[in-house]
Amino acid sequence: MFAKVAPFDGIEGWGGMIELIGGGLVCIGFFSRYAAFICSGEMAIAYFLAHWAIVTPAPHSFYPVINGGAAAILYCFVFLYLAAVGPGPWAINQK
């Protein structure tokens, strides 16, 4: 079933790798500001490409409640907040 699946096969593969690696880095607090900023941008791109329907012919509405993109916007701003404030006292790479 997964014989022909490549990790970087299309935009979904790149998004999955960013979410997997970036989410892990944010969780353990290793380069979390950079990883959170990249994950925030990835979630913003996911919202505009998939939910706001620039590419797909889904409901053409900017509002997250109507187009189903509330989780993408939430994660975008949570990651942006974490990029701004930093990892906290339990991070692996403390200064």
Side-chain angles (χ1 to χ4, degrees):
M1 182 168 130
F2 296 108
K4 296 182 181 179
V5 175
F8 298 108
D9 190 23
I11 196 167
E12 295 89 3
W14 284 100
M17 295 304 283
I18 289 172
E19 290 170 7
L20 180 69
I21 295 169
L25 289 175
V26 169
C27 259
I28 63 173
F30 189 67
F31 293 114
S32 60
R33 286 184 188 246
Y34 301 117
F37 184 73
I38 291 171
C39 288
S40 173
E42 188 258 339
M43 293 309 296
I45 290 171
Y47 176 75
F48 285 118
L49 289 182
H51 295 286
W52 192 29
I54 292 176
V55 175
T56 59
H60 297 281
S61 176
F62 179 75
Y63 301 108
V65 175
I66 297 171
N67 64 21
I73 293 294
L74 174 72
Y75 288 131
C76 176
F77 285 112
V78 166
F79 280 129
L80 192 61
Y81 173 75
L82 289 174
V85 298
W90 291 351
I92 287 180
N93 60 347
Q94 290 290 324
K95 290 184 179 183

